[in-house]
Amino acid sequence: MQSKNNQIDMTEGPILSKLLKFSIPLVFSSILQLLFNAADVVVVGRFAGDNSLAAVGSTGPLINLLIGLFLGLSTGTNVVAAHYIGSGKKDELSNTIHTSMLLSVFSGIFLTVVGVIFTKPILRLMKSPDEVIDLSAIYLRIYFGGITASMVYNFGSALLRARGDTKRPLFILLFSGIINVILNLIFVIIFHMNVAGVALATIISQTVSAVIVVIILLKEKDDFLFDLKKLKIHPHILGKIIRIGVPAGFQGMMFSFSNMVIQSSINSFGPICVAGNSAGQNLEGFVYLSMNGFSQGNLTFCSQNFGAKKMDRVKKVTIISQLLILVVGFALGFTALAFVRPLLSIYTTNPKIIEVGVQRLTIIFSTYTLCGIQDCMANSIRGCGKSLKPAIVTIFGICILRLVWISIMFNIPEYHVPLTVYLSYPISWIITWIILTVIFIRLYKNLNKNNNQITA
């Protein structure tokens, strides 16, 4: 049998200690991943110039748009697997594993085709500055050329998280991330490959991650065993993954689309603003992912307990997770604000770029905990098999509301400034959280009344 060190029984015993045991490695994994992604931005910013910094840093919204749907499917994989773990259905768990891993390969191939073909037209629609568009296109085409490995890792790690295993994905990221940083330095500083070097380093390190996670699944000795001979799409499993994953993925795509529009608004202010905004986004990611680790822990815990029909524990997990996120968001956000200029100087020495980053981060860091708790509430609902409602609410609250805000305010000359864009974030977070909280309370009552029936 598989070592119990790599499993957590989320349906019994104390919640707080187990949630911390599960989520803290997730937090470190996310931060490590962002650190290694930040290495791309730091290396090109320091050794290839401001245009290269803007080119790599501004690609995030486009990457997230194209891969958002498929990352949503990996979320569906996590939820469905956790449901079957909680309900003790071992055969269905095995079917989920093999369906998910084959789905990850198909997803990667599709993304490679779309990413390579449509990268430059989308960059033009985003009004990417002429100084950076060709560099951005080079980076993205190489990145999407190796995206299959990233999909395999994401689906595989989602399966491991479903059983409570967050330690081994952390070690995988640590190892592959070190490879990424070393290759960044070699390709950019020694071989002068500029943005192509950091893109190539990224896909090599992602391939290493994918290989290791597949080896781990192949060596499992219990009902979690991955057997290449059993690779098959099971239609009923795929249907459940799609019902949960597609709304989550579409939500992510719409979220990224709104960010692309916002990025387009930022692009209109020129390369200095683009570079400062990119550096700020990269920094704020550390706070977001620290909160998101607990939100993802909340998702898996709610999913397992929902599968076990323990709705009281679902409610307790949600409350505890929200409180943890509030503490983490406030502590990290205001600590980062205290050191905001030295932190931004890691990315660039240009004082104008730093000031743009300071303006963005002052708004974001002081209110970021609102983003964390609304994400967490959406995941509680999703963990109960209801993925469409949080997707609709988030699309309205996070995406549409921001776009309406910008379209209205930018028509007023005195508000046609970056600060107007940044203020759209906290407004959308608080409105979305309130609506999601009301939905969760009603869902909790209905599920208790209907004996926890799953109707995704």
Side-chain angles (χ1 to χ4, degrees), residues 138-150:
I138 291 170
Y139 177 83
L140 287 168
R141 282 171 178 158
I142 297 173
Y143 180 91
F144 281 108
I147 197 68
T148 299
S150 177

Side-chain angles (χ1 to χ4, degrees), residues 276 340-341 344-345 348-359:
V340 66
R341 282 183 173 79
L344 285 168
S345 67
T348 179
T349 56
N350 188 324
K352 292 181 179 179
I353 294 176
I354 290 174
E355 286 309 310
V356 171
V358 168
Q359 187 182 48

Side-chain angles (χ1 to χ4, degrees), residues 93-95 97-98 163 216-228 230:
L93 175 59
S94 178
N95 292 338
I97 292 168
H98 293 92
R163 75 181 310 177
I216 287 174
L217 290 171
L218 287 171
K219 291 188 174 182
E220 296 293 276
K221 299 185 184 301
D222 55 10
D223 47 281
F224 225 75
L225 174 67
F226 174 48
D227 185 346
L228 290 172
K230 294 182 179 180

Side-chain angles (χ1 to χ4, degrees), residues 265 269 403-417 420-421:
S265 301
F269 295 105
L403 298 182
V404 170
W405 168 273
I406 291 172
S407 65
I408 293 174
M409 300 302 288
F410 265 28
N411 284 323
I412 305 172
E414 57 266 36
Y415 292 116
H416 194 88
V417 292
T420 298
V421 177

Side-chain angles (χ1 to χ4, degrees), residues 81-93 223 304 307-308:
H83 282 172
Y84 288 134
I85 291 170
S87 60
K89 296 180 180 178
K90 295 183 179 181
D91 289 341
E92 295 290 62
L93 175 59
D223 47 281
Q304 273 205 24

Side-chain angles (χ1 to χ4, degrees), residues 52-307:
S52 296
L53 167 64
V56 175
S58 63
T59 57
L62 176 53
I63 290 173
N64 292 334
L65 173 69
L66 293 181
I67 70 174
L69 177 63
F70 300 97
L71 290 181
L73 291 177
S74 73
T75 298
T77 289
N78 174 269
V79 172
V80 172
H83 282 172
Y84 288 134
I85 291 170
S87 60
K89 296 180 180 178
K90 295 183 179 181
D91 289 341
E92 295 290 62
L93 175 59
S94 178
N95 292 338
T96 302
I97 292 168
H98 293 92
T99 297
S100 300
M101 294 307 290
L102 188 54
L103 181 60
S104 72
V105 176
F106 292 154
S107 300
I109 294 171
F110 177 81
L111 282 169
T112 293
V113 174
V114 172
V116 171
I117 293 174
F118 294 105
T119 281
K120 200 156 188 178
I122 298 175
L123 285 170
R124 292 196 184 280
L125 286 174
M126 291 174 63
K127 302 176 184 177
S128 184
D130 292 338
E131 299 93 331
V132 303
I133 189 169
D134 288 334
L135 291 170
S136 294
I138 291 170
Y139 177 83
L140 287 168
R141 282 171 178 158
I142 297 173
Y143 180 91
F144 281 108
I147 197 68
T148 299
S150 177
M151 290 295 104
V152 170
Y153 170 76
N154 278 294
F155 277 74
S157 62
L159 289 169
L160 292 175
R161 288 198 308 272
R163 75 181 310 177
D165 184 358
T166 53
K167 291 181 181 178
R168 288 185 291 182
L170 170 60
F171 297 142
I172 294 171
L173 279 177
L174 178 60
F175 179 66
S176 63
I178 291 172
I179 293 175
N180 183 39
V181 171
I182 293 172
L183 291 179
N184 272 339
L185 297 171
I186 293 173
F187 291 155
V188 176
I189 299 175
I190 298 177
F191 293 109
H192 307 290
M193 294 174 66
N194 204 320
V195 297
V198 295
L200 185 59
T202 297
I203 65 172
I204 291 173
S205 63
Q206 287 176 344
T207 301
V208 171
S209 298
V211 170
I212 296 175
V213 81
V214 168
I215 290 173
I216 287 174
L217 290 171
L218 287 171
K219 291 188 174 182
E220 296 293 276
K221 299 185 184 301
D222 55 10
D223 47 281
F224 225 75
L225 174 67
F226 174 48
D227 185 346
L228 290 172
K229 296 177 181 178
K230 294 182 179 180
L231 272 176
K232 177 184 176 182
I233 297 291
H234 295 269
H236 70 290
I237 298 293
L238 179 61
K240 290 187 176 182
I241 292 174
I242 288 173
R243 282 197 298 275
I244 294 171
V246 167
F250 186 69
Q251 170 189 320
M253 290 178 66
M254 290 301 297
F255 182 78
S256 298
F257 175 74
S258 71
N259 282 343
M260 283 177 59
V261 175
I262 291 172
Q263 184 67 51
S264 298
S265 301
I266 295 298
N267 290 346
S268 68
F269 295 105
I272 293 293
C273 192
V274 172
N277 189 69
S278 297
Q281 284 178 320
N282 206 274
L283 260 180
E284 71 194 40
F286 291 100
V287 179
Y288 172 77
L289 290 175
S290 297
M291 297 186 295
N292 188 252
F294 293 100
S295 180
Q296 292 300 315
N298 173 67
L299 172 67
T300 305
F301 270 68
C302 286
S303 298
Q304 273 205 24
N305 282 286
F306 178 74

